[in-house]
Amino acid sequence: MNLEGRKILVNKSREDLVAMLKNPEDYRHLMPESLQNFEAREDGFKFSLKGMPEIALKIDEVLANQVVLKSASSSLDFSLTGNMEDAEEGKTQVQLLFEGDFNPFIKMMVEKPLQNFINALTDNLEKL
């Protein structure tokens, strides 16, 4: 299952944005309003949203133009990638991409909430 966030322009340089996304605590500010619990860890974070089970993510890869978060649970295989490109001076174009390997039943249950989550992250990134 693949989901895409819309392409947005963030008022930070790509270098500043990558530096921010390397820090697990900084993800707290990007979470949707329905956030109920957030716990930063050394290599990632776990959180829960209203009506959803707890999700644990680890910061898997940080490159000059990409940050990849992966599921910290072996039972669910998915990743959330933030692709970044330099835009005008001091701004970065960002797009979030979700890729998960789910059976059809799980996909049916999680597709809409995941798209809403990606949209909320995108909206909050755009406000930076």
Side-chain angles (χ1 to χ4, degrees):
M1 176 174 78
N2 296 321
L3 300 172
E4 294 184 5
R6 60 189 171 84
K7 289 184 179 181
I8 58 166
L9 204 56
V10 177
N11 289 316
K12 283 188 177 291
S13 70
R14 184 176 40 81
E15 294 82 8
D16 288 347
L17 196 52
V18 168
M20 181 190 119
L21 296 175
K22 284 200 285 195
N23 180 6
E25 183 61 38
D26 287 337
Y27 285 88
R28 178 187 308 268
H29 310 293
L30 301 176
M31 290 289 134
E33 287 182 18
S34 59
L35 181 68
Q36 295 207 299
N37 184 35
F38 184 93
E39 180 184 324
R41 299 174 170 177
E42 185 176 317
D43 65 342
F45 55 95
K46 67 179 183 176
F47 66 97
S48 60
L49 302 175
K50 192 172 195 151
M52 297 276 291
E54 186 173 83
I55 298 171
L57 295 172
K58 63 182 178 181
I59 300 171
D60 187 62
E61 191 172 27
V62 179
L63 305 172
N65 63 345
Q66 188 178 70
V67 174
V68 180
L69 304 176
K70 288 206 173 186
S71 170
S73 166
S74 59
S75 61
L76 290 176
D77 181 24
F78 67 87
S79 65
L80 180 62
T81 302
N83 288 325
M84 296 167 265
E85 294 179 23
D86 290 328
E88 53 199 78
E89 185 72 31
K91 295 186 180 196
T92 307
Q93 180 178 295
V94 178
Q95 184 177 29
L96 300 179
L97 305 172
F98 177 90
E99 189 174 319
D101 188 19
F102 303 124
N103 69 46
F105 179 72
I106 298 290
K107 178 184 176 191
M108 184 179 71
M109 288 187 354
V110 301
E111 190 167 17
K112 185 171 184 193
L114 280 172
Q115 186 65 59
N116 291 339
F117 176 66
I118 291 167
N119 293 344
L121 290 178
T122 299
D123 290 346
N124 289 337
L125 271 167
E126 197 170 28
K127 294 174 187 173
L128 292 177

